Coordinates of all heavy atoms in Angstrom, one line a residue:
I4 N 88.4 89.6 89.8 CA 87.6 89.8 91.0 C 87.3 91.3 91.3 O 86.2 91.6 91.7 CB 88.4 89.1 92.2 CG1 88.3 87.6 92.0 CG2 87.7 89.5 93.5 CD1 89.2 86.8 93.0
H5 N 88.3 92.1 91.1 CA 88.1 93.5 91.4 C 87.1 94.0 90.4 O 86.2 94.9 90.8 CB 89.4 94.2 91.2 CG 89.3 95.7 91.4 ND1 89.1 96.3 92.6 CD2 89.4 96.8 90.5 CE1 89.0 97.6 92.5 NE2 89.2 98.0 91.2
H6 N 87.2 93.7 89.1 CA 86.2 94.1 88.1 C 84.7 93.5 88.5 O 83.8 94.2 88.3 CB 86.6 93.6 86.7 CG 85.7 93.9 85.6 ND1 85.5 95.3 85.2 CD2 84.9 93.2 84.8 CE1 84.6 95.3 84.3 NE2 84.2 94.0 84.0
L7 N 84.7 92.3 88.8 CA 83.4 91.8 89.3 C 82.8 92.5 90.4 O 81.6 92.7 90.5 CB 83.5 90.2 89.6 CG 83.5 89.4 88.3 CD1 83.7 87.9 88.7 CD2 82.1 89.4 87.6
D8 N 83.7 92.9 91.4 CA 83.2 93.6 92.6 C 82.6 94.9 92.2 O 81.6 95.4 92.6 CB 84.4 93.8 93.5 CG 84.6 92.6 94.4 OD1 83.9 91.7 94.4 OD2 85.8 92.5 95.0
D9 N 83.3 95.5 91.2 CA 82.8 96.9 90.8 C 81.4 96.7 90.0 O 80.5 97.5 90.3 CB 83.8 97.5 89.8 CG 85.0 98.0 90.5 OD1 85.0 98.2 91.8 OD2 86.1 98.3 89.8
M10 N 81.3 95.7 89.2 CA 80.2 95.5 88.5 C 79.1 95.1 89.5 O 77.8 95.6 89.3 CB 80.2 94.3 87.5 CG 81.1 94.7 86.2 SD 81.4 93.3 85.2 CE 79.8 92.8 84.7
L11 N 79.3 94.3 90.5 CA 78.3 94.0 91.5 C 77.7 95.1 92.2 O 76.6 95.3 92.3 CB 79.0 92.9 92.4 CG 78.1 92.2 93.5 CD1 77.0 91.3 92.7 CD2 79.0 91.4 94.4
K12 N 78.7 96.0 92.6 CA 78.2 97.3 93.3 C 77.4 98.1 92.4 O 76.4 98.8 92.9 CB 79.5 98.0 93.8 CG 80.1 97.3 94.9 CD 81.5 98.1 95.4 CE 82.1 97.3 96.4 NZ 83.5 97.9 96.8
S13 N 77.8 98.3 91.2 CA 77.0 99.1 90.1 C 75.6 98.4 90.0 O 74.6 99.3 90.1 CB 77.7 99.0 88.8 OG 77.0 99.7 87.9
Q14 N 75.5 97.2 89.8 CA 74.2 96.5 89.7 C 73.3 96.7 91.0 O 72.1 96.9 90.8 CB 74.4 95.0 89.4 CG 74.9 94.8 88.0 CD 74.1 95.3 86.9 OE1 72.9 95.3 87.0 NE2 74.8 95.7 85.8
Q15 N 74.0 96.6 92.1 CA 73.2 96.8 93.4 C 72.7 98.4 93.4 O 71.6 98.5 93.9 CB 74.1 96.5 94.5 CG 74.3 95.1 94.8 CD 75.4 94.7 95.8 OE1 76.2 95.6 96.2 NE2 75.4 93.5 96.4
R16 N 73.5 99.2 93.0 CA 73.0 100.6 92.9 C 71.8 100.8 92.1 O 70.9 101.4 92.4 CB 74.2 101.6 92.5 CG 75.0 102.1 93.7 CD 76.0 103.3 93.2 NE 76.8 102.8 92.0 CZ 78.0 102.3 92.1 NH1 78.6 102.0 93.3 NH2 78.7 102.0 91.0
K17 N 71.9 100.1 90.9 CA 70.9 100.2 89.9 C 69.6 99.6 90.6 O 68.5 100.2 90.4 CB 71.2 99.5 88.6 CG 72.2 100.2 87.7 CD 72.5 99.4 86.5 CE 73.5 100.1 85.7 NZ 73.9 99.4 84.4
V18 N 69.7 98.5 91.1 CA 68.5 97.9 91.9 C 67.9 98.9 92.9 O 66.7 98.9 92.9 CB 68.9 96.5 92.4 CG1 67.7 95.9 93.3 CG2 69.2 95.5 91.4
R19 N 68.7 99.4 93.8 CA 68.3 100.3 94.7 C 67.6 101.4 94.1 O 66.5 101.9 94.6 CB 69.4 100.8 95.5 CG 69.8 99.7 96.6 CD 70.6 100.4 97.7 NE 71.9 100.9 97.3 CZ 73.1 100.2 97.1 NH1 73.1 98.9 97.6 NH2 74.2 100.7 96.6
Q20 N 68.1 102.1 93.0 CA 67.5 103.1 92.4 C 66.2 102.8 91.7 O 65.2 103.5 91.9 CB 68.4 103.7 91.2 CG 69.6 104.4 91.8 CD 70.6 104.8 90.7 OE1 70.5 104.2 89.5 NE2 71.7 105.5 91.0
M21 N 66.0 101.6 91.1 CA 64.8 101.3 90.6 C 63.8 101.0 91.6 O 62.5 101.3 91.5 CB 65.0 99.8 89.7 CG 65.8 100.1 88.4 SD 66.1 98.6 87.7 CE 64.5 98.3 86.9
I22 N 64.1 100.4 92.8 CA 63.2 100.2 93.8 C 62.7 101.6 94.3 O 61.5 101.8 94.7 CB 63.8 99.4 94.9 CG1 64.0 97.9 94.5 CG2 62.9 99.5 96.2 CD1 64.8 97.1 95.5
E23 N 63.6 102.5 94.5 CA 63.3 103.9 94.9 C 62.3 104.6 93.9 O 61.3 105.2 94.3 CB 64.6 104.8 95.1 CG 64.4 106.0 95.7 CD 65.7 106.8 95.9 OE1 66.6 106.2 96.5 OE2 65.8 107.9 95.4
Q24 N 62.6 104.4 92.6 CA 61.7 104.9 91.6 C 60.3 104.3 91.7 O 59.4 105.1 91.6 CB 62.3 104.8 90.2 CG 63.5 105.6 89.9 CD 64.1 105.3 88.5 OE1 63.8 104.3 88.0 NE2 65.0 106.1 88.1
L25 N 60.2 103.1 92.0 CA 59.0 102.4 92.1 C 58.2 103.0 93.4 O 57.0 103.2 93.3 CB 59.0 100.9 92.3 CG 59.4 100.1 91.0 CD1 59.7 98.7 91.4 CD2 58.2 100.2 90.1
Q26 N 58.9 103.1 94.4 CA 58.3 103.6 95.6 C 57.8 105.1 95.3 O 56.7 105.5 95.8 CB 59.2 103.6 96.8 CG 59.5 102.2 97.3 CD 60.6 102.2 98.3 OE1 61.4 103.0 98.4 NE2 60.7 101.1 99.1
N27 N 58.6 105.9 94.8 CA 58.2 107.3 94.4 C 57.0 107.3 93.5 O 56.1 108.2 93.7 CB 59.4 108.1 93.7 CG 60.5 108.4 94.7 OD1 60.3 108.2 95.9 ND2 61.7 108.7 94.2
S28 N 57.0 106.5 92.5 CA 55.8 106.3 91.6 C 54.6 106.0 92.4 O 53.5 106.6 92.1 CB 56.1 105.3 90.4 OG 57.2 105.7 89.7
K29 N 54.7 105.0 93.4 CA 53.6 104.7 94.1 C 53.0 105.9 94.9 O 51.8 106.1 95.1 CB 53.9 103.4 94.9 CG 53.9 102.2 94.3 CD 54.3 101.0 95.2 CE 54.5 99.7 94.5 NZ 54.8 98.6 95.4
T30 N 54.0 106.6 95.4 CA 53.5 107.8 96.3 C 52.8 108.7 95.4 O 51.8 109.3 95.8 CB 54.8 108.4 96.9 OG1 55.4 107.4 97.7 CG2 54.4 109.5 97.8
V31 N 53.4 109.1 94.2 CA 52.8 110.0 93.4 C 51.3 109.5 92.9 O 50.4 110.3 92.9 CB 53.6 110.3 92.0 CG1 52.9 110.9 91.0 CG2 54.8 111.0 92.4
I32 N 51.2 108.3 92.6 CA 49.9 107.7 92.3 C 48.9 107.9 93.3 O 47.8 108.2 93.2 CB 50.0 106.2 91.7 CG1 50.7 106.3 90.4 CG2 48.6 105.6 91.6 CD1 51.1 104.9 90.0
Q33 N 49.3 107.5 94.6 CA 48.4 107.7 95.7 C 47.9 109.1 96.0 O 46.8 109.4 96.2 CB 49.1 107.2 97.0 CG 49.2 105.6 97.1 CD 50.1 105.2 98.2 OE1 50.7 106.0 98.9 NE2 50.0 103.9 98.5
A34 N 48.9 110.1 95.8 CA 48.6 111.4 95.9 C 47.5 111.9 94.8 O 46.5 112.6 95.0 CB 49.8 112.4 95.8
K35 N 47.8 111.4 93.6 CA 46.9 111.7 92.5 C 45.5 111.1 92.8 O 44.5 111.7 92.4 CB 47.5 111.3 91.2 CG 48.6 112.3 90.8 CD 49.1 112.0 89.4 CE 50.2 113.0 89.0 NZ 50.7 112.9 87.7
D36 N 45.5 109.9 93.3 CA 44.2 109.2 93.6 C 43.5 110.1 94.6 O 42.2 110.2 94.5 CB 44.4 107.8 94.1 CG 44.7 106.9 93.0 OD1 44.6 107.2 91.7 OD2 45.2 105.7 93.2
A37 N 44.1 110.6 95.6 CA 43.5 111.4 96.6 C 42.8 112.7 96.0 O 41.7 113.0 96.4 CB 44.5 111.7 97.8
V38 N 43.7 113.3 95.2 CA 43.1 114.5 94.5 C 41.9 114.2 93.6 O 41.0 114.9 93.6 CB 44.3 115.2 93.6 CG1 43.7 116.2 92.7 CG2 45.3 115.7 94.6
I39 N 42.0 113.0 92.9 CA 40.8 112.7 92.0 C 39.6 112.3 92.9 O 38.5 112.8 92.6 CB 41.1 111.3 91.3 CG1 42.1 111.7 90.2 CG2 40.0 110.8 90.7 CD1 42.8 110.5 89.4

């Protein structure tokens, strides 16, 4: 159970990081579109 809890927390961190990266990419794309 302890091991699964650690894995669960790690996967949740990865999901949050991926969502943050997607949001950052969208922001960069919008900025580049405005410059274009």
Side-chain angles (χ1 to χ4, degrees):
I4 289 171
H5 181 70
H6 179 67
L7 278 173
D8 283 341
D9 289 345
M10 287 177 56
L11 189 64
K12 288 175 186 175
S13 173
Q14 294 299 326
Q15 288 172 339
R16 273 193 302 271
K17 286 180 183 178
V18 169
R19 279 194 298 271
Q20 288 172 349
M21 290 175 78
I22 290 170
E23 187 176 307
Q24 287 174 347
L25 282 171
Q26 290 171 340
N27 290 341
S28 296
K29 285 180 183 178
T30 303
V31 168
I32 288 170
Q33 287 172 348
K35 288 185 179 186
D36 284 346
V38 169
I39 288 170

